[in-house]
Amino acid sequence: MKAAVVHSAGNLPVWDEFAAPEVGAGEIRVRVRAAAISQLARARAAGKHYSSRDNHPFVAGVDGVGMCEDGRRVYFANPRPPQGSMAEEVAVAVGHCVPVPDDLDDVTAAALANPGMSSWMALRERADLQPGETVLINGATGSSGALAVQIARHFGAGRIIATGRNPQALDELRETGVDETISLNMDEADQKSAFEAAFGQGVDVVLDYLWGASAGMILHATAKIPDPARSLRFVQIGSMTGDEIALPAALLRSRDTVLMGSGIGSVAFDRMATSVRDLLAAASTAGFRIETETAPLSQVESAWSADTGNRRLVLTL
C-alpha cells in the first residue's frame, strides 16, 4: 500500500510503499479518508515527543477518519506501530475507534478531534470544570487554544480569559465571547500586572498550552487570589514556549493549587476515547468551529512544511 513513510530520524514523511497491516486479535481494518497534521503528529515523526519510538521506518500520523469494512465511519487513533494514520489503510484496536456522527464531514472530524480532545479532556477529566467558574487559557490564539475557548463556554464557564501574542487573533476571541485578553507581547512588568489583576478577581482553572515564562508568571500571580482556600486547578497541556520553569515551593504551600498534566499517559485511553466520542457528538449542535485546509495525502512531503497559519491542515484520500 501507499503511505507517508518516515525512513530515518530527521527526515520528512514521503509518499512511498509500505507493507499493508495485518489485522490482529481485537483489531479492525480501516480505510483512511482523512488525517490531520497535528503538533503531536509532527513531534512524533521528528522523534521529539515523549511518546516517540525509534522504530524506523514507520508511517506518520496518530489519528484520522476512515471507513470500516462493515461500512461504519469512525475516528481512530494510535494504530499499532509501525503503522500510522497517514496511509491507505490501518489496523486499529476496536477500543481506539469511535463513531463519527452523520452531520460531521470527514475533514472537520479529523481536524477537530485532536485539538478538541486536548481541552475537552483537560476540562472534564482533569479539572472537573463547574458551571460559572473562571477559566484562563494560556496560548489561546492557536487553533487548539481557540477551540478550547469554545469548549470552555460549552461547559458553562462563567468567565474566560485568553492570552496570546497575535493581536488580531485576540481581538477575534473577544468577538466570540472571551471576557478578557492578555497580550504576551507586553513587557514583563505589564504582563505581571495583568496576570495579578486577573487573579485578583479569582481564577478557578488554567489551561496551559505554552509553559515557559508566561506559565511562571501565572503561577506567581496565584498569590493574588483573594481567598487562599479557593482551589486553582492548573492543567498543563503543551510546551510551545519552553520545557522548564522556576517554581518556588512557597507558591504551592501557601495556596490550594493543584498542578496536573493532560495528555497521553495522564488519562487512561478509554477515557480519552470517551472524550473524543463526546466531543464529536456535540460538535454540530454546539457549533464548534475550526478553520481547515486540505491537501492530497500523496503530497504529504510538501504539505508537511506548509505554513497554514491557524488553519488545521488535513490530508485526504
Side-chain angles (χ1 to χ4, degrees):
M1 69 171 183
K2 286 286 194 175
V5 183
V6 180
H7 284 284
S8 59
N11 287 343
L12 295 178
V14 295
W15 190 238
D16 205 351
E17 293 290 336
F18 201 83
E22 295 184 5
V23 180
E27 294 182 332
I28 57 174
R29 188 183 307 276
V30 179
R31 294 288 299 180
V32 180
R33 294 170 58 156
I37 301 180
S38 61
Q39 291 295 339
L40 175 57
R42 291 182 190 277
R44 275 194 174 177
K48 295 181 178 180
H49 193 264
Y50 63 83
S51 65
S52 298
R53 302 182 182 186
D54 184 15
N55 60 335
H56 300 89
F58 62 86
V59 178
V62 296
D63 62 352
V65 172
M67 296 292 294
C68 302
E69 292 177 306
D70 61 7
R72 289 179 299 126
R73 192 165 61 108
V74 298
Y75 165 82
F76 65 89
N78 290 339
R80 173 168 41 87
Q83 305 294 326
S85 64
M86 296 178 181
E88 292 179 322
E89 61 183 51
V90 295
V92 189
V94 173
H96 291 195
C97 300
V98 299
V100 176
D102 292 339
D103 57 2
L104 205 59
D105 64 87
D106 295 340
V107 169
T108 302
L112 276 173
N114 184 273
M117 176 182 61
S118 71
S119 52
W120 189 286
M121 192 166 65
L123 289 168
R124 172 159 286 179
E125 298 289 333
R126 303 298 280 156
D128 190 26
L129 178 70
Q130 299 299 305
E133 290 189 319
T134 294
V135 178
L136 187 151
I137 300 170
N138 190 34
T141 53
S143 59
S144 295
L147 191 53
V149 169
Q150 300 173 54
I151 291 171
R153 190 65 77 194
H154 174 71
F155 283 151
R159 179 167 166 255
I160 299 176
I161 306 164
T163 81
R165 293 191 179 280
N166 186 323
Q168 180 180 345
L170 287 175
D171 289 341
E172 290 172 354
L173 287 173
R174 276 189 174 274
E175 293 172 4
T176 59
V178 166
D179 300 283
E180 181 182 345
T181 60
I182 296 175
S183 172
L184 300 182
N185 288 325
M186 296 188 294
D187 62 35
E188 184 175 335
D190 288 339
Q191 285 186 57
K192 180 181 177 182
S193 296
F195 283 127
E196 289 180 350
F199 278 85
Q201 297 180 54
V203 175
D204 301 290
V205 174
V206 173
L207 299 189
D208 174 48
Y209 286 89
L210 302 180
W211 206 232
S214 60
M217 280 190 276
I218 287 170
L219 286 166
H220 279 78
T222 62
K224 297 298 180 179
I225 296 177
D227 180 4
R230 182 174 181 170
S231 174
L232 172 72
R233 290 93 79 199
F234 186 108
V235 189
Q236 214 296 303
I237 301 171
S239 51
M240 296 294 291
T241 61
D243 292 324
E244 298 180 358
I245 64 170
L247 181 59
L251 284 178
L252 299 182
R253 293 200 304 268
S254 61
R255 300 274 128 188
D256 182 10
T257 301
V258 179
L259 295 179
M260 66 190 92
S262 185
I264 297 171
S266 61
V267 178
F269 196 88
D270 64 330
R271 299 308 305 161
M272 295 176 70
T274 297
S275 292
V276 179
R277 182 199 66 198
D278 293 347
L279 165 74
L280 297 181
S284 293
T285 302
F288 296 148
R289 300 181 308 280
I290 187 167
E291 294 186 32
T292 61
E293 187 171 319
T294 61
L297 185 49
S298 59
Q299 296 177 13
V300 60
E301 191 168 1
S302 59
W304 200 262
S305 303
D307 181 6
T308 58
N310 280 342
R311 298 184 302 279
R312 181 72 54 160
L313 183 53
V314 180
L315 304 177
T316 59
L317 275 167

